[in-house]
Amino acid sequence: MSLTNFKIWHFRGGVHPYDGKELSNQVPAQYAPLLEKYYVVLRQNIGKPPKLIVEKGQHVAKGQKIAEADGFVSAPLHAPTSGTVGDVADIPGANGPNVPAIEIIADGKDEWDTGLEPIKDWRQADITDLRHRIAEAGIVGMGGAAFPCHIKLTPPIEKIIDTLILNGAECEPYLTADHRLMLERTKAVLEGAAIAAKILNVERILLGIEDNKPDAIEALNKLADQYGVTVVPLPVRYPQGGEKQLIYALTGRCVMTGGLPMDVGCVVQNVGSCAAIYDAVAEGHPLIERYTTITGTPVVNPSTWIVRIGTPVREALGFAGGTKSHAAKLIMGGPMMGFAQMTLDVTVTKNTSGILLLSAKETGAYTSDPCIRCGRCVDNCPMHLQPGSISVMVESEHFHEAEHLNVMDCMECGVCAYVCPAKRPLVQHFRRAKSEIIAERQAAKAKAAMKHS
Ligand code: SF4
Ligand code: SF4
């Protein structure tokens, strides 16, 4: 589709932080070397964790299923290489608490046996078979949320979907994994999108990409028509890649409080998930590796790597040459939405888009002060929230009031904290409020269930 007369909508708020992308965006991605051991975390998707189906000492092939989905909102896991199943033990989780992980001890042969036949002629395939393949391949949202992909591709019958949106914005500073992927695996991204569009029965496919990736835009445009995709360059503004912001930018449609993209006729897929759909369907390969940017000023060779799921961060940093200066902070993901880590023993999961090291100068110690009601956070919040007021409620443990101020709509983009002159730990407050509210809702549900049993 031609871009002439294509209207781009500009979302409210947002910021322009230093993006650090020049550190790694011109370096071609490389395959990470085979390691001796991998630790595949059992909880890698939103919803129920999958059930372990292998035993200690069992031989597994590369791509063999090692944990199967436990219900509809769940995703299986597969062995990142051939070898032997070791212990299942708790390891540090990238989002906080320890998590169980399956140890895979490599046999060095790296032999595939996925049991998944390639569906080369997918255009003639049955939609149910394609959906089933995507579910069996364990594909989740690879842009951060890790929502099982097959669910997004199974909208309720009453929802009318007319647009598939591909998220190639990669607005998070420092990360260049999607950039390199769109440049190097252009066909896989576009063909994966065409498969998803067939499943959804939609004709309009829009790929939103920030205009700071001209080489990727050029590569995509060369093939886009072939797959019915319209590539839409978007102005650089964080968080352009937020799901609601992207839908608005490309369609002018607003997802309301508590709503879903499907409510406005859209399904959004990350470009990495599209490439994984292509791999699963056309190649018969489940999701066992991903593009991950290993970067930051202390890193010797900031670059993007095709890293297997289960790779310890300690080893991953070695792929990029290790460090050349003191690193004060390790973040899984980018500086705005990523999670700071206490240890190098965390591992790469399906949604690890980046591993970022920052120097002491870049992070800086600071103390936070009381809110001075300057309103900057309100002016810049892309979700139209009142971050300052919500944070005051959370500090005094008034979680119901925080809920009434729509804290559950917060996408944890970090914009408010970035602009706050009092350096208030706003996102931490909102994460705490959300977990308290969710815990209370779950307790109420369990109480109601007991009453009726
Ligand atoms: S309140 Fe939430 S959505 Fe709004 S700027 Fe802060 S982190 Fe982002
Ligand atoms: S930006 Fe910070 S100081 Fe200003 S109103 Fe928001 S929380 Fe308060």
Side-chain angles (χ1 to χ4, degrees), residues 371-377 388 420-422 424 426:
C371 174
I372 56 167
R373 307 234 171 245
C374 66
R376 283 192 207 172
C377 55
C420 176
R424 290 173 59 73
L426 298 169

Side-chain angles (χ1 to χ4, degrees), residues 24-32 176-177 179-181 183-185 290-293 303-307:
S24 57
N25 64 6
Q26 296 307 309
V27 185
Q30 299 167 70
Y31 273 96
T176 58
H179 181 171
R180 294 310 309 178
L181 175 89
L183 192 55
E184 296 167 8
R185 300 206 64 212
R290 62 155 299 140
Y291 271 55
T292 298
T293 306
S303 43
T304 294
W305 290 76
I306 300 158
V307 182

